[in-house]
Amino acid sequence: MALSPRVCRKTLLVKGLLQAATASAILLIEVTSFGARLIEKRESANHVFTGKVETLHLQKINGYLNYTVDVAVTSIEKGDGIKVGQVVPVYCYLKDPDWLKDKSEEEKRHDALRRVSPGSSP
């Protein structure tokens, strides 16, 4: 029994939509699970300011990408001790996606057991 061209096109369309939906769901899960912590609300933050990035430093340490962003403050919305024109270091980190790339399964298990977050606040 041969399928008509119309049935074949519908089947291909449904398969394509299912593949696109699956890929979108996987991408959404990956993007949302990569974050280090929840975003703080402005109301609960100790300091809120805007500025211009002066320099960006990156270090790869123990499976993390540690960033130091030096920000020249242009305006202050909230917080004591920071002045306009001051350069403030802002510390951030991400897990290094290439950290376990070329390691054996034994090395991966060992590293997973001994890895410690570089700080409590990214």
Side-chain angles (χ1 to χ4, degrees):
M1 177 176 165
L3 296 174
S4 71
R6 186 177 188 147
V7 172
C8 288
R9 276 185 269 166
K10 283 184 180 180
T11 303
L12 289 175
L13 179 63
V14 170
K15 282 185 180 180
L17 289 174
L18 285 174
Q19 289 173 346
T22 303
S24 297
I26 290 171
L27 181 61
L28 179 63
I29 290 168
E30 287 296 319
V31 168
T32 56
S33 66
F34 197 73
R37 70 177 204 189
L38 296 175
I39 296 173
E40 289 184 35
K41 293 185 177 186
R42 286 176 97 88
E43 299 83 38
S44 62
N46 293 329
H47 296 87
V48 178
F49 59 89
T50 58
K52 179 180 176 187
V53 173
E54 294 286 313
T55 57
L56 174 69
H57 307 279
L58 169 66
Q59 284 185 308
K60 287 186 172 191
I61 300 175
N62 292 333
Y64 288 90
L65 303 173
N66 296 325
Y67 296 92
T68 303
V69 183
D70 293 326
V71 179
V73 178
T74 56
S75 69
I76 301 166
E77 188 176 313
K78 181 179 175 183
D80 296 330
I82 297 175
K83 296 179 178 25
V84 173
Q86 180 180 352
V87 176
V88 177
V90 179
Y91 304 100
C92 315
Y93 70 89
L94 292 172
K95 290 183 180 178
D96 185 354
D98 295 330
W99 174 251
L100 300 174
K101 196 177 206 177
D102 298 323
K103 297 192 177 192
S104 69
E105 288 302 314
E106 181 63 31
E107 289 173 314
K108 289 178 185 179
R109 277 193 294 279
H110 182 264
D111 285 344
L113 293 174
R114 72 176 184 81
R115 282 178 68 171
V116 177
S117 173
S120 60
S121 43

